[in-house]
Amino acid sequence: MAPAPSTAQEIRTRLIAEPFWLQVCSFVIAVFTSHSTFGTVDWRPVVVLCSADYIGYGLDHYLDQAPVYAQARELDDRDVLSVFSRARIYLILNAAALLIGLLCCPPSTWVLVACILVPALLWNTPLFDWPAVTSIGDAKRSFVLKRVPVMKAVFVGVIRGSGFFPVIWSVMSAPVSRTWDPVRLMVWSTINWTCMSVSLITHDMRDFEEDKTARIPTIPVLLGSVYGARMLITAVQLAVLMACSNDLYIVSCSLWIITLAWRVDEQSPRWLFICISHAHTPIFLVYGLVQWHR
C-alpha cells in the first residue's frame, strides 16, 4: 500500500490532480486514435474512455488512502476530509458520464469497456487465497493482481496501448482511413505504455526505496535499482527507434521517453512524473497542427 501522505496538498495530488491529468492524457489519445485512423472524432468513445480511465485510476488511489481517511476522521481534519469528499464527487460524476456514454453505444462497446475497466477495479482486490510456506508453517496468502511481478506493466500497456482502438472502432461507422495503420499504432502505443508503466507513470522509480522495503515487486525492485529500469526503458525505445526510424512522430516520442527516463529519480517531484505520463501528448499535438495546416 502506498505510504500515507502527511498533508492535504499531497493527498489532493494523489486523489484529484493525478487522475485528472491522466484523464487529459486519455482524451488526447482517444481523439488522436479516432482522427488518425477514421478521419473523424465521435464524442461517445472519447467520453467512455476518459471516464473509465478516471474511475479505474482514481478509485485505486482512493482505496489506497483508506488509512489516511480513517485517521482524518479520528482527528477531525477538515482539510483532508474535504479532499476525500471532492474525490468522491469526481468519481460519481465520471461514473455518470460513463453510463451516459455507454447508453449511446452498441452492446459491443459495453463488452470492450468491461474488459478494460473490470481488471482495473479488481487491481488491488484479494481474489482468492492460496497456501504459502512460511517460517511458521503453512499459511494462507491472498492473490492480488497488484502484487504479481510485471503485471502492472502488462496491464497498463495492453489496456491503454491496445484498448483504445477497439472501443473507438466498435462505435464508429466510418471506414478506417489508415492515415496511421491501426495495427502499427496499437503495437507502438502498447510498447510505449508498457515502458512508461515499468517505472514512470506509476511512480515506481520515485517510490523505489519504499517499494523495496515493503517488498512490492515493481520492475525497479526486481531489477535491483532505478538505473536498471532506465537501461531497460532505453533498450526498448532504441529498438522502437530502429524499427520505426522513418516515422518522425514515433522517433520523437521515443526520444522524449528516453530523455525523461534519465531525468527522473527517487527525489524527482511528482509533477515531472505527470509530464512523463503525457509522453504521447506533444507528439499528437504536433500531428494535429500538421493535419490542420494541410
Side-chain angles (χ1 to χ4, degrees), residues 106 114 133 149 209 230 236:
V133 178
E209 293 297 337
R230 289 193 183 111
V236 172

Side-chain angles (χ1 to χ4, degrees), residues 112-160:
L112 291 168
V113 172
C115 293
I116 293 175
L117 188 57
V118 171
L121 296 178
L122 297 177
W123 178 242
N124 201 24
T125 302
L127 299 180
F128 56 85
D129 291 333
W130 57 2
V133 178
T134 65
S135 58
I136 302 175
D138 291 333
K140 291 288 187 179
R141 187 171 60 179
S142 296
F143 176 83
V144 180
L145 288 172
K146 192 174 185 177
R147 300 301 183 222
V148 178
V150 193
M151 185 61 71
K152 182 189 296 184
V154 172
F155 264 42
V156 174
V158 173
I159 290 175
R160 296 186 63 78

